Amino acid sequence: MAYSEQEILAGLAEIVNEETGLPVDAVLPEKSFTDDLDIDSLSMMTIVTLAEEKFEVRIPDEEVANLATVQDAVSFIQGAQNA
């Protein structure tokens, strides 16, 4: 099943909330994971793993460094599910 951009954003917001306690409405497309949301590399790996499970995609470790913003992650997941 392919998720829409909005569904991916909402799902990521839930995952970030579970991992960090940040409010779901703080997870916006333009937010940087490190600068705006203050997510460290360990939490980011957990978020990536949970996102892989939720959206049934594979996010290679070398791609994680390219996921600077929430929108980067949404776009990657959207592309990966169509691959």
Side-chain angles (χ1 to χ4, degrees):
M1 173 189 155
Y3 293 90
S4 71
E5 192 167 339
Q6 275 310 112
E7 289 170 325
I8 295 168
L9 179 59
L12 276 176
E14 288 172 20
I15 291 168
V16 169
N17 170 264
E18 288 169 22
E19 178 62 21
T20 67
L22 284 167
V24 172
D25 59 4
V27 183
L28 301 170
E30 67 275 7
K31 296 287 187 181
S32 161
F33 284 112
T34 51
D35 298 340
D36 298 323
L37 302 177
D38 203 27
I39 293 173
D40 62 26
S41 57
L42 185 61
S43 291
M44 189 65 186
M45 291 312 294
T46 303
I47 290 165
V48 165
T49 301
L50 292 170
E52 285 179 324
E53 291 170 10
K54 180 173 187 70
F55 300 111
E56 299 174 2
V57 296
R58 175 87 180 92
I59 305 172
D61 292 345
E62 59 272 12
E63 283 296 328
V64 174
N66 299 327
L67 306 181
T69 67
V70 174
Q71 183 61 52
D72 292 340
V74 170
S75 297
F76 184 90
I77 291 167
Q78 205 165 25
Q81 69 182 356
N82 297 328

